[in-house]
């Protein structure tokens, strides 16, 4: 049985795309820039919010200064609206409850900024104890740099062999690979299965229940994806 499961947040535990899209479009609109369809944001997120803003800005406008202007409009708005439409994916609350009951340690490794990462986890999973909830932190490289995984392994004292890393994007699969832990890609998130397949993770799953199998403690929920 695995001793630790590390989860990505956006696209893995929570479907946050509608709130991210709405908040980025709000910031773009305030600054007089064109906005984007919600679906296009699936390919803009995953590398932290500054990268999201760079991708959302028009060609020729992607300066550091403009990124910071978008950020200034985005953060206060997103802080209020980040739980408007975001929801856990089917089977995720049951999976977390089950893993917790089995004594498996849980952690979150996200590229979302730290305050929002903590808020969303506390809001949507109040009964789950996470050993660590890490988002984008000052002075720490974002994923796919393995720093966040190493920090979690240090806190939990769990070896790489006993760790499963679960995420929905190439960034996540690369993070797991860089950290030397077992990767599981999930297909219900923001990126297509082909992106995961190209990274050759140990596992790809369409179903939250299967993560319990990979962790070594299978169960059957009523909420299969």
């Amino acid at each position: 049985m695995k001793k630790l499961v590390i989860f990505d947040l956006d696209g893995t535990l929570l479907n946050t795309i509608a709130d991210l899209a709405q908040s980025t479009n709000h910031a773009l609109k305030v600054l007089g820039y064109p906005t984007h369809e919600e679906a296009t944001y699936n390919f803009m997120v995953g590398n932290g919010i500054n990268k999201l803003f760079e991708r959302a800005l028009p060609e020729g406008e992607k300066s550091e200064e403009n990124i910071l202007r978008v950020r200034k409009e985005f953060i206060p708005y997103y802080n209020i609206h980040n739980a408007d439409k975001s929801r856990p994916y089917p089977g995720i609350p049951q999976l977390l409850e089950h893993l917790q009951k089995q004594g498996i340690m849980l952690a979150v490794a996200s590229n979302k900024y730290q305050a929002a990462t903590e808020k969303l986890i506390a809001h949507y999973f109040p009964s789950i104890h996470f050993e660590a909830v890490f988002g984008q932190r000052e002075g720490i490289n974002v994923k796919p740099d393995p720093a966040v995984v190493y920090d979690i392994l240090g806190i939990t004292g769990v070896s790489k062999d006993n760790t499963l890393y679960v995420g929905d994007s190439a960034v996540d699969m690369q993070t797991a690979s860089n950290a030397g832990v077992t990767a599981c890609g999930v297909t219900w998130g923001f990126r297509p299965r082909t992106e995961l397949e190209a990274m050759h993770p140990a596992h790809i799953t369409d179903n939250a229940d299967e993560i319990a199998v990979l962790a070594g403690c299978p169960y059957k929920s009523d909420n299969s994806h």
Side-chain angles (χ1 to χ4, degrees), residues 50 71 112-115 135-142 151:
N50 284 11
R71 187 183 175 109
K112 185 190 285 294
Y113 63 100
Q114 183 67 25
Q136 188 175 358
R137 295 165 291 154
E138 201 59 49
I140 310 281
N141 290 341
V142 297
D151 283 350

Side-chain angles (χ1 to χ4, degrees), residues 144 149 165 171-184:
V149 175
Y165 181 103
V171 170
D172 290 307
M173 301 304 96
Q174 190 64 54
T175 304
S177 174
N178 291 345
V181 298
T182 305
C184 173

Side-chain angles (χ1 to χ4, degrees), residues 67-112:
I67 289 167
L68 293 176
R69 286 171 68 217
V70 177
R71 187 183 175 109
K72 194 176 166 197
E73 298 296 337
F74 172 94
I75 286 190
Y77 187 90
Y78 187 67
N79 283 344
I80 295 165
H81 295 284
N82 60 19
D84 286 4
K85 296 178 182 169
S86 295
R87 295 290 179 269
Y89 286 101
I92 287 293
Q94 296 85 343
L95 170 69
L96 295 175
E97 290 279 357
H98 173 71
L99 294 176
Q100 182 168 269
K101 277 192 192 127
Q102 297 299 314
I104 293 175
M105 289 187 254
L106 305 170
V108 173
S110 176
N111 275 346
K112 185 190 285 294

